[in-house]
Structure formats: C-alpha cells, structure tokens
Amino acid sequence: MKLSENIIGFHHYSLKAPKFDETVNFYEHLGFKTLHEWSLPEFKLERCVMLFHERINAYIEICDGNADIPAQGRKRKIDEEMVENSILHICFVVKDVATARDEALKIGARDLSHGVFDIDLVNKQKTVNVHNSLVYSPNGEVIEFLEQVKF
C-alpha cells in the first residue's frame, strides 16, 4: 500500500505552550473543547490536553512548555530570543501505522521513534491508548502517524 493511499485523514497539530493555561483558554474561546488531559513523566510532560472543535472537525494538542519531547528547532540559550518552534508535530490518521512508517522511510523520512508504539494516555476518568510512530520529514518536520483513536 502506498503512503498516499494509507493516509485517511489529518488528526492534529501539537503545540508547546510555555503559558499553558493561557494558551488552552485562548483556543477554548475559539470554540475548542478539552476532550482529554494527561501527563507523561518520562518526557517531563506535566500537562497535555487534546482539544476538539466540533463545528470545524479539528483537533489541537497543547503541551506544557517544559515538555521534553521531540520538536523542531532547539532550546534557546540564556538571554536569547525564543528559537524553538511552537508546533511540535503534524499528525496524520492512518489505517496502518507500521506501513505508513515504512513507506515514509522509503521516500526519504528519517526515523524518530525507532518503531511503532502503544502509549497509554491516563487520567482519573479514562485511559486512551494510542498506536503511533514518529518520523522526521525530509525537510525536518516531525510527523506522527496515528491509527484512528477516540479521545
């Protein structure tokens, strides 16, 4: 299966937000509603939320500013202007994560996650299991391939 046929939809943009609450509040004022919040201590990710805008059928993931997860750019040096990009990755919903990853690598992507993973995003109300893989595009963007999941 070609990668272009494997992709079945766009899922979300992920943003790193040093002003987490203000950023979430901003998007809520634009009509987004929080569907799920979680943390991943192994990535120093204290807070992350998945927001959804029903009318436009769009998701945005917002992670706290201290998150130590793959992103474009680099951390800024002391007294240096911000050089780290705020968009962490672009996520595509795919039918098959392993096939999408393999096809992307064949056409010039570089491996980032070193395989396909199942990750549990846990909070007090529920656990959401995601099946995904990450690559760098030939231009350097972080691309996430995600099998369809309900938040």
Side-chain angles (χ1 to χ4, degrees), residues 47-59:
R47 293 179 70 194
C48 196
V49 296
M50 184 65 72
L51 298 107
F52 179 70
H53 194 300
E54 187 174 334
R55 193 168 40 80
I56 63 173
N57 193 33
Y59 290 89

Side-chain angles (χ1 to χ4, degrees), residues 111-145:
D111 196 20
L112 174 57
S113 63
H114 304 292
V116 175
F117 291 93
D118 283 302
I119 299 173
D120 289 329
L121 308 177
V122 180
N123 71 19
K124 292 177 184 175
Q125 286 76 37
K126 65 180 177 180
T127 298
V128 175
N129 179 266
V130 295
H131 188 64
N132 69 350
S133 185
L134 293 108
V135 298
Y136 289 109
S137 79
N139 193 48
E141 295 88 28
V142 175
I143 305 294
E144 177 184 6
F145 296 115

